[in-house]
């Protein structure tokens, strides 16, 4: 298995593939003020196994195209959708977020939780804008600095892992630069990382190691997951995911 295949194989068993919660997805949806709009056309980019897709389907009058690169995730999403009312409004699409097959001005709303970093925040918001109808909304969650300064070890780590790691105000400036009008932003609370994402990972690791016969490769994978979690536990006051809500203006 390649490193990427390993990631998918492990994370497909998760309820979600990044920090977040149903309550925070709903909060973002409510802040948009689209509750009374009928027939919203929505793209959910980097949907994973669909944690946020299900919340959107259940709380907005919409049809959703849920996009991910990995069919294993989309298969789980389809299983989840089948069990839910409104699940029939969800269509899955296996595609890469940097070459989407959509026509211009297709969507009322583009949603992307914990995924735009894969192509880079600036590239994502810039390239996806054309798929939005005029006045359409963009909602992305993006890892960001939440304090004005931070320890050098942490800064070095992130500059290496994700050079676009930046402050909330700079992220909002980028939205403005690329033709969006900022609507709101808020920081994901700690439980979105711990209870909803990292704790389930930690509890799945022993079983996964056993299932994979404790191979050196899987042990290295588990170690890298634990390192990420350890970094978060040591430095969580300095960074989090932040929801950014914006409207296409030009
Ligand atoms: N939105 C989900 C998943 C976030 S993790 C949640 O919050 O739980 C990031 C997701 O992006 C993963 O599901 C991963 O498979 C997907 N992804 C990775 N590279 C991608 C690409 N090039 N195009 C589309 N999706 C991609």
């Amino acid at each position: 298995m390649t490193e990427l295949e390993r990631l998918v194989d492990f994370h497909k068993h998760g309820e979600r593939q990044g920090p977040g919660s149903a309550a925070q997805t709903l909060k973002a949806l409510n802040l948009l003020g689209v509750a009374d709009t009928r027939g919203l056309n929505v793209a959910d980019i980097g949907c994973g196994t669909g944690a946020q897709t299900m919340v959107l389907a259940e709380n907005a009058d919409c049809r959703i195209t849920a996009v991910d690169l990995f069919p294993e995730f989309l298969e789980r999403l389809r299983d989840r959708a089948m069990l839910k009312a409104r699940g029939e409004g969800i269509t899955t699409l296996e595609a890469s977020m940097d070459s989407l097959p959509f026509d211009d001005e297709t969507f009322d709303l583009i949603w992307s939780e914990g995924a735009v970093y894969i192509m880079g925040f600036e590239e994502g918001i810039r390239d996806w804008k054309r798929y939005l109808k005029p006045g359409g909304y963009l909602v992305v969650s993006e890892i960001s600095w939440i304090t004005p300064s931070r320890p050098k070890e942490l800064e070095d780590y992130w500059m290496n892992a994700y050079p676009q790691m930046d402050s909330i105000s700079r992220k909002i400036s980028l939205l403005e630069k690329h033709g969006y009008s900022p609507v709101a932003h808020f920081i994901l609370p700690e439980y979105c990382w711990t209870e909803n994402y990292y704790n389930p990972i930690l509890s799945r690791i022993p079983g996964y190691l056993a299932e994979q016969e404790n191979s050196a490769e899987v042990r290295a994978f588990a170690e890298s997951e634990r390192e990420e979690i350890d970094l978060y536990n040591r430095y969580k006051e300095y960074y989090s995911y932040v929801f950014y809500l914006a409207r296409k203006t030009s």
Side-chain angles (χ1 to χ4, degrees), residues 4-174:
L4 200 57
E5 285 165 348
R6 175 66 63 201
L7 263 175
V8 172
D9 191 55
F10 179 77
H11 283 281
K12 73 182 181 205
H13 301 295
E15 289 291 304
R16 51 183 325 122
Q17 288 69 42
S21 79
Q24 302 295 310
T25 297
L26 200 52
K27 176 173 172 175
L29 184 66
N30 289 337
L31 280 167
L32 290 179
V34 293
D36 297 328
T37 313
R38 302 269 148 246
L40 282 173
N41 197 11
V42 182
D44 180 4
I45 302 178
C47 58
T49 60
Q52 68 292 312
T53 324
M54 302 316 302
V55 176
L56 296 174
E58 284 164 21
N59 292 282
D61 186 296
C62 62
R63 55 183 192 280
I64 305 175
T65 306
V67 185
D68 205 278
L69 189 59
F70 297 104
E72 294 91 329
F73 290 152
L74 295 174
E75 195 179 314
R76 286 227 36 225
L77 192 161
R78 285 194 296 273
D79 290 345
R80 272 165 120 170
M82 270 187 338
L83 302 173
K84 295 280 183 182
R86 308 279 276 270
E88 76 282 357
I90 300 171
T91 309
T92 57
L93 173 69
E94 185 185 329
S96 185
M97 61 173 77
D98 53 10
S99 58
L100 294 165
F102 303 133
D103 291 333
D104 288 358
E105 303 190 357
T106 299
F107 297 104
D108 301 290
L109 173 58
I110 291 180
W111 202 277
S112 182
E113 290 193 27
V116 68
Y117 77 90
I118 291 159
M119 63 181 287
F121 181 84
E122 185 163 17
E123 293 77 3
I125 62 164
R126 184 192 66 203
D127 292 2
W128 297 345
K129 194 180 74 169
R130 65 192 187 86
Y131 308 125
L132 280 176
K133 295 176 187 172
Y137 289 103
L138 174 75
V139 175
V140 290
S141 72
E142 161 81 342
I143 196 156
S144 310
W145 298 126
I146 56 172
T147 57
S149 61
R150 68 233 35 121
K152 186 163 185 314
E153 182 197 356
L154 182 66
E155 175 112 26
D156 290 348
Y157 173 88
W158 277 109
M159 284 306 112
N160 178 47
Y162 183 44
Q164 289 195 36
M165 179 77 166
D166 215 337
S167 64
I168 294 172
S169 56
R170 293 243 183 73
K171 296 285 172 191
I172 292 175
S173 293
L174 285 173

